[in-house]
Amino acid sequence: MCYRYTLATPRADLEKLFGIVIPELPLRFNIALTQIVPAVRLDGDTRVWGEYRFGLIPRWTRDEKPAGFGNARSETVAEKPSFRDAFRKRRCLVPADGFYEWETVGKQKLPWRLTLADGGPFAIAGIHETWTSPAGVEVATLALLTTSANACLERFHDRMPVIIDPAQHDRWLHGPAETLGELLVPYPAERMKVFRVDTRVNSPRYDAADCVTPIDA
DNA sequence: CCAGACGTTGTT
DNA sequence: GTCTGG
DNA sequence: CCAGACGTTGTT
DNA sequence: GTCTGG
């Protein structure tokens, strides 16, 4: 699964990956739920950069402060009432350059970071939804799709985020939804790497460059 | 008809 | 233990 | 996902 | 909002 990730890639590299102009953005070393994150979506046929609250809130949610859903299972996203409209009509590409997983050892929670083999940026399959609060405030929200895990996730659990290859970005954004099943698969373990990082990552309030520094396992 | 659910993950 | 916040 | 709060009253 | 259960 994926509830914590990083986006600390220079803007120029993200512009190259997505083929659009991107505004200056802060380097992020520990993105957590409820925070504002960027994503690429379609406006008509044009890719546009937008900002969303991480944690999708279904349109019909009446709570004052709903938590929202950080992840949606790709196997069922097309049917679930909370996600199906977004999956059909509001898919997005969520830029990242790594994500975190935790290994529980006794009482300790030890964080690891997973990246692509070359350490470069990639896109996670996302869906977005606009929620209107009881007070009438509109909030753009998103969730990340998950699939079964590859061997790199073995020591953590059996889910991982769906990573969309650059060659498939257009297909993910344009659909149609019925044809997207083959994109919602585990990324090859051979093209990823995984390494321990400092437990300071555990606190979602800690967001500094040393979050991504490899340490000995 | 109305009420109530609507979701993910990991852990035990 | 359980819920909320990030 | 993990961290941190979880409560009341009166006084400063 | 929409579907399911009673």
Side-chain angles (χ1 to χ4, degrees), chain A residues 115-175:
Chain A
T115 66
L116 298 194
D118 65 4
F122 54 90
I124 301 173
I127 54 176
H128 64 95
E129 182 74 272
T130 300
W131 174 68
T132 303
S133 77
V137 179
E138 289 200 345
V139 185
T141 69
L142 66 71
L144 308 177
L145 299 211
T146 64
T147 186
S148 50
N150 68 29
C152 288
L153 282 287
E154 217 164 25
R155 67 198 314 155
F156 310 115
H157 47 73
D158 61 359
R159 305 293 299 171
M160 70 179 289
V162 174
I163 295 171
I164 305 287
D165 251 4
Q168 303 296 337
H169 284 184
D170 269 328
R171 194 166 155 209
W172 174 249
L173 292 174
H174 284 90

Tab-separated table of all heavy atoms in Angstrom, chain A residues 115-175:
chain	number	residue	atom	x	y	z
A	115	THR	N	12.375	2.837	-4.218
A	115	THR	CA	12.484	3.743	-5.361
A	115	THR	C	12.622	2.909	-6.632
A	115	THR	O	12.769	1.688	-6.573
A	115	THR	CB	13.734	4.644	-5.263
A	115	THR	OG1	14.905	3.819	-5.371
A	115	THR	CG2	13.766	5.407	-3.927
A	116	LEU	N	12.605	3.587	-7.784
A	116	LEU	CA	12.974	2.891	-9.007
A	116	LEU	C	14.477	2.640	-8.958
A	116	LEU	O	15.210	3.266	-8.194
A	116	LEU	CB	12.615	3.737	-10.236
A	116	LEU	CG	11.125	4.052	-10.426
A	116	LEU	CD1	10.889	4.582	-11.827
A	116	LEU	CD2	10.247	2.838	-10.161
A	117	ALA	N	14.936	1.707	-9.792
A	117	ALA	CA	16.355	1.332	-9.789
A	117	ALA	C	17.255	2.537	-10.054
A	117	ALA	O	18.325	2.668	-9.454
A	117	ALA	CB	16.602	0.245	-10.836
A	118	ASP	N	16.798	3.450	-10.912
A	118	ASP	CA	17.629	4.621	-11.226
A	118	ASP	C	17.347	5.801	-10.303
A	118	ASP	O	17.926	6.866	-10.450
A	118	ASP	CB	17.429	5.034	-12.687
A	118	ASP	CG	16.011	5.511	-12.977
A	118	ASP	OD1	15.187	5.599	-12.040
A	118	ASP	OD2	15.724	5.800	-14.150
A	119	GLY	N	16.434	5.619	-9.354
A	119	GLY	CA	16.112	6.685	-8.405
A	119	GLY	C	15.267	7.809	-8.982
A	119	GLY	O	14.986	8.792	-8.294
A	120	GLY	N	14.852	7.656	-10.224
A	120	GLY	CA	14.130	8.732	-10.907
A	120	GLY	C	12.658	8.808	-10.535
A	120	GLY	O	12.133	7.947	-9.832
A	121	PRO	N	12.006	9.881	-11.017
A	121	PRO	CA	10.583	10.083	-10.701
A	121	PRO	C	9.693	9.116	-11.484
A	121	PRO	O	10.095	8.594	-12.524
A	121	PRO	CB	10.330	11.518	-11.142
A	121	PRO	CG	11.308	11.733	-12.252
A	121	PRO	CD	12.540	10.939	-11.881
A	122	PHE	N	8.487	8.893	-10.966
A	122	PHE	CA	7.530	8.005	-11.624
A	122	PHE	C	6.127	8.497	-11.312
A	122	PHE	O	5.954	9.435	-10.523
A	122	PHE	CB	7.738	6.556	-11.178
A	122	PHE	CG	7.703	6.342	-9.682
A	122	PHE	CD1	6.522	6.063	-9.015
A	122	PHE	CD2	8.890	6.436	-8.933
A	122	PHE	CE1	6.503	5.875	-7.639
A	122	PHE	CE2	8.872	6.252	-7.549
A	122	PHE	CZ	7.685	5.971	-6.902
A	123	ALA	N	5.136	7.851	-11.924
A	123	ALA	CA	3.741	8.250	-11.699
A	123	ALA	C	2.974	7.108	-11.037
A	123	ALA	O	3.040	5.965	-11.487
A	123	ALA	CB	3.082	8.628	-13.017
A	124	ILE	N	2.274	7.425	-9.961
A	124	ILE	CA	1.369	6.469	-9.330
A	124	ILE	C	-0.030	6.711	-9.896
A	124	ILE	O	-0.445	7.866	-10.064
A	124	ILE	CB	1.354	6.645	-7.805
A	124	ILE	CG1	2.769	6.445	-7.232
A	124	ILE	CG2	0.378	5.674	-7.139
A	124	ILE	CD1	2.889	6.763	-5.745
A	125	ALA	N	-0.745	5.613	-10.187
A	125	ALA	CA	-2.116	5.738	-10.686
A	125	ALA	C	-3.009	6.309	-9.589
A	125	ALA	O	-3.058	5.775	-8.478
A	125	ALA	CB	-2.629	4.372	-11.123
A	126	GLY	N	-3.706	7.390	-9.907
A	126	GLY	CA	-4.583	8.025	-8.917
A	126	GLY	C	-5.962	8.304	-9.473
A	126	GLY	O	-6.189	8.243	-10.693
A	127	ILE	N	-6.896	8.549	-8.565
A	127	ILE	CA	-8.233	9.020	-8.937
A	127	ILE	C	-8.537	10.222	-8.057
A	127	ILE	O	-8.088	10.301	-6.913
A	127	ILE	CB	-9.307	7.932	-8.742
A	127	ILE	CG1	-9.271	7.365	-7.319
A	127	ILE	CG2	-9.122	6.814	-9.761
A	127	ILE	CD1	-10.365	6.345	-7.019
A	128	HIS	N	-9.296	11.179	-8.617
A	128	HIS	CA	-9.580	12.373	-7.817
A	128	HIS	C	-11.070	12.671	-7.772
A	128	HIS	O	-11.833	12.227	-8.631
A	128	HIS	CB	-8.768	13.580	-8.297
A	128	HIS	CG	-9.091	14.045	-9.684
A	128	HIS	ND1	-9.978	15.042	-9.955
A	128	HIS	CD2	-8.613	13.632	-10.898
A	128	HIS	CE1	-10.036	15.251	-11.263
A	128	HIS	NE2	-9.228	14.398	-11.856
A	129	GLU	N	-11.462	13.399	-6.762
A	129	GLU	CA	-12.879	13.650	-6.493
A	129	GLU	C	-13.004	14.984	-5.754
A	129	GLU	O	-12.215	15.256	-4.856
A	129	GLU	CB	-13.410	12.529	-5.592
A	129	GLU	CG	-14.871	12.615	-5.254
A	129	GLU	CD	-15.751	12.241	-6.418
A	129	GLU	OE1	-16.071	13.161	-7.205
A	129	GLU	OE2	-16.125	11.063	-6.545
A	130	THR	N	-13.974	15.788	-6.155
A	130	THR	CA	-14.208	17.034	-5.432
A	130	THR	C	-15.301	16.812	-4.402
A	130	THR	O	-16.385	16.332	-4.731
A	130	THR	CB	-14.616	18.170	-6.389
A	130	THR	OG1	-13.556	18.367	-7.321
A	130	THR	CG2	-14.855	19.464	-5.617
A	131	TRP	N	-14.980	17.164	-3.158
A	131	TRP	CA	-15.936	17.016	-2.064
A	131	TRP	C	-16.357	18.400	-1.588
A	131	TRP	O	-15.528	19.304	-1.482
A	131	TRP	CB	-15.286	16.251	-0.906
A	131	TRP	CG	-16.113	16.158	0.335
A	131	TRP	CD1	-17.261	15.469	0.503
A	131	TRP	CD2	-15.841	16.788	1.596
A	131	TRP	NE1	-17.724	15.619	1.795
A	131	TRP	CE2	-16.871	16.422	2.479
A	131	TRP	CE3	-14.809	17.630	2.055
A	131	TRP	CZ2	-16.918	16.873	3.804
A	131	TRP	CZ3	-14.849	18.073	3.364
A	131	TRP	CH2	-15.904	17.687	4.231
A	132	THR	N	-17.641	18.581	-1.331
A	132	THR	CA	-18.123	19.852	-0.779
A	132	THR	C	-18.479	19.636	0.685
A	132	THR	O	-19.331	18.814	1.013
A	132	THR	CB	-19.345	20.355	-1.560
A	132	THR	OG1	-18.994	20.472	-2.943
A	132	THR	CG2	-19.788	21.709	-1.034
A	133	SER	N	-17.808	20.361	1.541
A	133	SER	CA	-18.028	20.214	2.982
A	133	SER	C	-19.411	20.720	3.363
A	133	SER	O	-20.041	21.453	2.596
A	133	SER	CB	-16.961	20.994	3.745
A	133	SER	OG	-17.274	22.378	3.722
A	134	PRO	N	-19.912	20.327	4.545
A	134	PRO	CA	-21.211	20.833	4.996
A	134	PRO	C	-21.267	22.357	5.016
A	134	PRO	O	-22.318	22.950	4.808
A	134	PRO	CB	-21.336	20.247	6.410
A	134	PRO	CG	-20.505	19.015	6.382
A	134	PRO	CD	-19.348	19.324	5.472
A	135	ALA	N	-20.109	22.989	5.204
A	135	ALA	CA	-20.050	24.455	5.208
A	135	ALA	C	-19.999	25.038	3.800
A	135	ALA	O	-19.995	26.253	3.621
A	135	ALA	CB	-18.834	24.922	6.019
A	136	GLY	N	-19.932	24.150	2.784
A	136	GLY	CA	-19.955	24.627	1.404
A	136	GLY	C	-18.589	24.848	0.780
A	136	GLY	O	-18.485	25.409	-0.307
A	137	VAL	N	-17.530	24.412	1.445
A	137	VAL	CA	-16.177	24.578	0.914
A	137	VAL	C	-15.814	23.389	0.026
A	137	VAL	O	-15.970	22.240	0.428
A	137	VAL	CB	-15.149	24.684	2.070
A	137	VAL	CG1	-13.730	24.836	1.518
A	137	VAL	CG2	-15.519	25.845	2.988
A	138	GLU	N	-15.374	23.653	-1.206
A	138	GLU	CA	-14.975	22.591	-2.115
A	138	GLU	C	-13.533	22.170	-1.857
A	138	GLU	O	-12.645	23.009	-1.729
A	138	GLU	CB	-15.128	23.054	-3.570
A	138	GLU	CG	-16.577	23.190	-3.991
A	138	GLU	CD	-16.745	23.168	-5.501
A	138	GLU	OE1	-15.737	23.330	-6.219
A	138	GLU	OE2	-17.891	22.993	-5.954
A	139	VAL	N	-13.324	20.844	-1.795
A	139	VAL	CA	-11.995	20.291	-1.547
A	139	VAL	C	-11.685	19.255	-2.621
A	139	VAL	O	-12.428	18.286	-2.778
A	139	VAL	CB	-11.925	19.624	-0.154
A	139	VAL	CG1	-10.503	19.160	0.148
A	139	VAL	CG2	-12.417	20.572	0.933
A	140	ALA	N	-10.601	19.480	-3.366
A	140	ALA	CA	-10.153	18.501	-4.361
A	140	ALA	C	-9.339	17.438	-3.636
A	140	ALA	O	-8.375	17.754	-2.943
A	140	ALA	CB	-9.308	19.181	-5.434
A	141	THR	N	-9.734	16.174	-3.789
A	141	THR	CA	-9.070	15.096	-3.047
A	141	THR	C	-8.632	14.000	-4.010
A	141	THR	O	-9.144	13.903	-5.128
A	141	THR	CB	-10.018	14.475	-2.005
A	141	THR	OG1	-11.069	13.756	-2.666
A	141	THR	CG2	-10.633	15.548	-1.101
A	142	LEU	N	-7.680	13.172	-3.593
A	142	LEU	CA	-7.278	12.043	-4.430
A	142	LEU	C	-6.910	10.827	-3.596
A	142	LEU	O	-6.626	10.936	-2.402
A	142	LEU	CB	-6.130	12.423	-5.374
A	142	LEU	CG	-4.738	12.778	-4.850
A	142	LEU	CD1	-3.996	11.571	-4.299
A	142	LEU	CD2	-3.919	13.387	-5.975
A	143	ALA	N	-6.921	9.666	-4.281
A	143	ALA	CA	-6.470	8.408	-3.683
A	143	ALA	C	-5.523	7.732	-4.667
A	143	ALA	O	-5.596	7.960	-5.879
A	143	ALA	CB	-7.650	7.487	-3.380
A	144	LEU	N	-4.626	6.905	-4.132
A	144	LEU	CA	-3.673	6.147	-4.940
A	144	LEU	C	-4.180	4.720	-5.092
A	144	LEU	O	-4.677	4.133	-4.131
A	144	LEU	CB	-2.304	6.122	-4.242
A	144	LEU	CG	-1.745	7.479	-3.822
A	144	LEU	CD1	-0.415	7.298	-3.071
A	144	LEU	CD2	-1.558	8.381	-5.037
A	145	LEU	N	-4.065	4.169	-6.293
A	145	LEU	CA	-4.485	2.788	-6.506
A	145	LEU	C	-3.397	1.819	-6.041
A	145	LEU	O	-2.212	2.097	-6.192
A	145	LEU	CB	-4.771	2.522	-7.989
A	145	LEU	CG	-5.856	3.313	-8.693
A	145	LEU	CD1	-6.500	2.470	-9.777
A	145	LEU	CD2	-6.907	3.842	-7.766
A	146	THR	N	-3.847	0.680	-5.515
A	146	THR	CA	-2.912	-0.365	-5.107
A	146	THR	C	-3.158	-1.632	-5.902
A	146	THR	O	-4.235	-1.842	-6.481
A	146	THR	CB	-3.049	-0.708	-3.613
A	146	THR	OG1	-4.344	-1.248	-3.367
A	146	THR	CG2	-2.833	0.512	-2.737
A	147	THR	N	-2.144	-2.499	-5.921
A	147	THR	CA	-2.236	-3.807	-6.561
A	147	THR	C	-1.459	-4.788	-5.699
A	147	THR	O	-0.954	-4.407	-4.632
A	147	THR	CB	-1.689	-3.756	-8.011
A	147	THR	OG1	-1.919	-5.007	-8.646
A	147	THR	CG2	-0.202	-3.445	-8.023
A	148	SER	N	-1.351	-6.029	-6.130
A	148	SER	CA	-0.567	-6.990	-5.352
A	148	SER	C	0.906	-6.578	-5.370
A	148	SER	O	1.363	-5.893	-6.279
A	148	SER	CB	-0.760	-8.399	-5.912
A	148	SER	OG	-0.553	-8.401	-7.300
A	149	ALA	N	1.640	-7.007	-4.357
A	149	ALA	CA	3.022	-6.546	-4.181
A	149	ALA	C	4.005	-7.393	-4.975
A	149	ALA	O	3.778	-8.579	-5.221
A	149	ALA	CB	3.374	-6.569	-2.707
A	150	ASN	N	5.134	-6.790	-5.362
A	150	ASN	CA	6.218	-7.577	-5.948
A	150	ASN	C	7.197	-7.990	-4.836
A	150	ASN	O	6.980	-7.706	-3.658
A	150	ASN	CB	6.919	-6.791	-7.067
A	150	ASN	CG	7.694	-5.594	-6.539
A	150	ASN	OD1	8.185	-5.592	-5.405
A	150	ASN	ND2	7.815	-4.567	-7.368
A	151	ALA	N	8.281	-8.676	-5.219
A	151	ALA	CA	9.205	-9.263	-4.243
A	151	ALA	C	9.878	-8.218	-3.350
A	151	ALA	O	10.281	-8.535	-2.228
A	151	ALA	CB	10.270	-10.088	-4.968
A	152	CYS	N	9.998	-6.990	-3.815
A	152	CYS	CA	10.630	-5.941	-2.993
A	152	CYS	C	9.814	-5.638	-1.738
A	152	CYS	O	10.336	-5.100	-0.768
A	152	CYS	CB	10.795	-4.650	-3.798
A	152	CYS	SG	12.074	-4.728	-5.049
A	153	LEU	N	8.504	-5.961	-1.766
A	153	LEU	CA	7.624	-5.640	-0.637
A	153	LEU	C	7.442	-6.820	0.298
A	153	LEU	O	6.709	-6.730	1.291
A	153	LEU	CB	6.243	-5.217	-1.170
A	153	LEU	CG	5.991	-3.829	-1.733
A	153	LEU	CD1	5.954	-2.801	-0.646
A	153	LEU	CD2	6.945	-3.465	-2.836
A	154	GLU	N	8.107	-7.907	-0.019
A	154	GLU	CA	7.920	-9.174	0.678
A	154	GLU	C	7.910	-9.048	2.206
A	154	GLU	O	7.062	-9.590	2.890
A	154	GLU	CB	9.059	-10.113	0.270
A	154	GLU	CG	8.672	-11.545	0.120
A	154	GLU	CD	9.760	-12.300	-0.651
A	154	GLU	OE1	10.925	-11.853	-0.623
A	154	GLU	OE2	9.420	-13.315	-1.278
A	155	ARG	N	8.883	-8.311	2.738
A	155	ARG	CA	9.044	-8.234	4.191
A	155	ARG	C	8.006	-7.310	4.838
A	155	ARG	O	7.980	-7.201	6.064
A	155	ARG	CB	10.450	-7.766	4.520
A	155	ARG	CG	10.708	-6.350	4.104
A	155	ARG	CD	12.182	-6.010	4.026
A	155	ARG	NE	12.932	-6.480	5.178
A	155	ARG	CZ	14.241	-6.741	5.158
A	155	ARG	NH1	14.913	-6.572	4.041
A	155	ARG	NH2	14.857	-7.139	6.237
A	156	PHE	N	7.205	-6.612	4.035
A	156	PHE	CA	6.262	-5.647	4.599
A	156	PHE	C	4.834	-6.169	4.563
A	156	PHE	O	4.200	-6.370	5.591
A	156	PHE	CB	6.369	-4.313	3.863
A	156	PHE	CG	7.793	-3.832	3.747
A	156	PHE	CD1	8.396	-3.730	2.517
A	156	PHE	CD2	8.513	-3.515	4.888
A	156	PHE	CE1	9.719	-3.292	2.412
A	156	PHE	CE2	9.833	-3.087	4.792
A	156	PHE	CZ	10.438	-2.978	3.551
A	157	HIS	N	4.316	-6.367	3.381
A	157	HIS	CA	2.949	-6.862	3.219
A	157	HIS	C	2.689	-7.144	1.757
A	157	HIS	O	3.630	-7.127	0.963
A	157	HIS	CB	1.926	-5.879	3.791
A	157	HIS	CG	2.193	-4.491	3.349
A	157	HIS	ND1	1.948	-4.071	2.089
A	157	HIS	CD2	2.727	-3.439	4.002
A	157	HIS	CE1	2.306	-2.821	1.964
A	157	HIS	NE2	2.798	-2.403	3.099
A	158	ASP	N	1.444	-7.374	1.389
A	158	ASP	CA	1.177	-7.903	0.044
A	158	ASP	C	0.517	-6.908	-0.910
A	158	ASP	O	-0.099	-7.301	-1.880
A	158	ASP	CB	0.333	-9.171	0.154
A	158	ASP	CG	-1.014	-8.893	0.812
A	158	ASP	OD1	-1.268	-7.724	1.191
A	158	ASP	OD2	-1.796	-9.833	0.951
A	159	ARG	N	0.651	-5.612	-0.609
A	159	ARG	CA	0.093	-4.601	-1.512
A	159	ARG	C	1.160	-3.563	-1.848
A	159	ARG	O	2.072	-3.319	-1.054
A	159	ARG	CB	-1.091	-3.874	-0.849
A	159	ARG	CG	-2.191	-4.776	-0.340
A	159	ARG	CD	-2.935	-5.498	-1.422
A	159	ARG	NE	-3.609	-4.609	-2.344
A	159	ARG	CZ	-4.195	-5.017	-3.475
A	159	ARG	NH1	-4.170	-6.301	-3.800
A	159	ARG	NH2	-4.777	-4.162	-4.279
A	160	MET	N	1.011	-2.951	-3.030
A	160	MET	CA	1.903	-1.848	-3.399
A	160	MET	C	1.165	-0.879	-4.311
A	160	MET	O	0.140	-1.234	-4.900
A	160	MET	CB	3.167	-2.381	-4.091
A	160	MET	CG	2.930	-2.954	-5.475
A	160	MET	SD	4.454	-3.535	-6.274
A	160	MET	CE	5.275	-1.982	-6.637
A	161	PRO	N	1.680	0.343	-4.429
A	161	PRO	CA	1.007	1.288	-5.324
A	161	PRO	C	1.173	0.884	-6.786
A	161	PRO	O	2.179	0.264	-7.158
A	161	PRO	CB	1.730	2.611	-5.035
A	161	PRO	CG	3.041	2.227	-4.454
A	161	PRO	CD	2.810	0.945	-3.721
A	162	VAL	N	0.191	1.236	-7.598
A	162	VAL	CA	0.284	0.992	-9.044
A	162	VAL	C	1.152	2.075	-9.670
A	162	VAL	O	0.829	3.265	-9.579
A	162	VAL	CB	-1.110	1.006	-9.699
A	162	VAL	CG1	-0.982	0.911	-11.223
A	162	VAL	CG2	-1.972	-0.124	-9.156
A	163	ILE	N	2.243	1.655	-10.284
A	163	ILE	CA	3.140	2.581	-10.984
A	163	ILE	C	2.870	2.465	-12.478
A	163	ILE	O	2.845	1.358	-13.035
A	163	ILE	CB	4.613	2.253	-10.661
A	163	ILE	CG1	4.865	2.498	-9.166
A	163	ILE	CG2	5.552	3.077	-11.540
A	163	ILE	CD1	6.216	2.021	-8.663
A	164	ILE	N	2.616	3.599	-13.116
A	164	ILE	CA	2.291	3.610	-14.544
A	164	ILE	C	3.529	4.013	-15.343
A	164	ILE	O	4.079	5.096	-15.135
A	164	ILE	CB	1.143	4.608	-14.851
A	164	ILE	CG1	-0.094	4.311	-13.998
A	164	ILE	CG2	0.798	4.583	-16.334
A	164	ILE	CD1	-0.869	3.094	-14.390
A	165	ASP	N	3.951	3.142	-16.254
A	165	ASP	CA	5.083	3.429	-17.123
A	165	ASP	C	4.792	4.679	-17.965
A	165	ASP	O	3.663	4.881	-18.396
A	165	ASP	CB	5.313	2.233	-18.063
A	165	ASP	CG	6.573	1.469	-17.725
A	165	ASP	OD1	7.229	1.808	-16.715
A	165	ASP	OD2	6.902	0.541	-18.463
A	166	PRO	N	5.824	5.482	-18.219
A	166	PRO	CA	5.618	6.693	-19.026
A	166	PRO	C	4.909	6.404	-20.350
A	166	PRO	O	4.053	7.188	-20.781
A	166	PRO	CB	7.048	7.190	-19.260
A	166	PRO	CG	7.814	6.717	-18.066
A	166	PRO	CD	7.205	5.380	-17.705
A	167	ALA	N	5.226	5.262	-20.988
A	167	ALA	CA	4.604	4.935	-22.277
A	167	ALA	C	3.096	4.730	-22.157
A	167	ALA	O	2.382	4.737	-23.156
A	167	ALA	CB	5.261	3.685	-22.858
A	168	GLN	N	2.611	4.534	-20.927
A	168	GLN	CA	1.176	4.283	-20.711
A	168	GLN	C	0.449	5.470	-20.080
A	168	GLN	O	-0.736	5.361	-19.745
A	168	GLN	CB	0.992	3.046	-19.820
A	168	GLN	CG	1.652	1.781	-20.363
A	168	GLN	CD	1.056	1.318	-21.678
A	168	GLN	OE1	-0.080	1.649	-22.007
A	168	GLN	NE2	1.831	0.561	-22.436
A	169	HIS	N	1.154	6.570	-19.890
A	169	HIS	CA	0.518	7.715	-19.229
A	169	HIS	C	-0.736	8.185	-19.960
A	169	HIS	O	-1.773	8.436	-19.337
A	169	HIS	CB	1.518	8.875	-19.108
A	169	HIS	CG	2.534	8.671	-18.007
A	169	HIS	ND1	3.473	9.615	-17.672
A	169	HIS	CD2	2.744	7.618	-17.174
A	169	HIS	CE1	4.222	9.159	-16.674
A	169	HIS	NE2	3.806	7.948	-16.361
A	170	ASP	N	-0.635	8.301	-21.284
A	170	ASP	CA	-1.795	8.764	-22.054
A	170	ASP	C	-2.971	7.807	-21.926
A	170	ASP	O	-4.117	8.230	-21.779
A	170	ASP	CB	-1.430	8.907	-23.540
A	170	ASP	CG	-0.941	10.316	-23.846
A	170	ASP	OD1	-1.422	11.263	-23.189
A	170	ASP	OD2	-0.080	10.465	-24.738
A	171	ARG	N	-2.650	6.535	-21.938
A	171	ARG	CA	-3.719	5.538	-21.865
A	171	ARG	C	-4.417	5.610	-20.512
A	171	ARG	O	-5.646	5.521	-20.420
A	171	ARG	CB	-3.096	4.161	-22.079
A	171	ARG	CG	-4.107	3.104	-22.365
A	171	ARG	CD	-3.416	1.889	-22.904
A	171	ARG	NE	-4.211	0.712	-22.632
A	171	ARG	CZ	-3.682	-0.488	-22.471
A	171	ARG	NH1	-2.357	-0.638	-22.537
A	171	ARG	NH2	-4.457	-1.517	-22.244
A	172	TRP	N	-3.639	5.768	-19.433
A	172	TRP	CA	-4.243	5.873	-18.109
A	172	TRP	C	-5.164	7.092	-18.027
A	172	TRP	O	-6.281	7.016	-17.498
A	172	TRP	CB	-3.159	5.943	-17.021
A	172	TRP	CG	-3.732	6.195	-15.671
A	172	TRP	CD1	-3.603	7.335	-14.920
A	172	TRP	CD2	-4.577	5.312	-14.912
A	172	TRP	NE1	-4.302	7.210	-13.746
A	172	TRP	CE2	-4.909	5.978	-13.720
A	172	TRP	CE3	-5.095	4.030	-15.135
A	172	TRP	CZ2	-5.723	5.411	-12.736
A	172	TRP	CZ3	-5.907	3.459	-14.166
A	172	TRP	CH2	-6.204	4.145	-12.991
A	173	LEU	N	-4.709	8.197	-18.579
A	173	LEU	CA	-5.502	9.422	-18.467
A	173	LEU	C	-6.736	9.400	-19.370
A	173	LEU	O	-7.798	9.881	-18.972
A	173	LEU	CB	-4.633	10.643	-18.814
A	173	LEU	CG	-3.521	10.966	-17.808
A	173	LEU	CD1	-2.641	12.094	-18.338
A	173	LEU	CD2	-4.102	11.332	-16.441
A	174	HIS	N	-6.589	8.820	-20.564
A	174	HIS	CA	-7.675	8.909	-21.542
A	174	HIS	C	-8.668	7.746	-21.469
A	174	HIS	O	-9.789	7.875	-21.906
A	174	HIS	CB	-7.105	8.985	-22.968
A	174	HIS	CG	-6.540	10.333	-23.302
A	174	HIS	ND1	-5.223	10.676	-23.085
A	174	HIS	CD2	-7.126	11.445	-23.813
A	174	HIS	CE1	-5.022	11.924	-23.460
A	174	HIS	NE2	-6.154	12.421	-23.911
A	175	GLY	N	-8.195	6.575	-21.013
A	175	GLY	CA	-9.098	5.443	-20.959
A	175	GLY	C	-9.336	4.831	-22.302
A	175	GLY	O	-8.479	4.932	-23.172
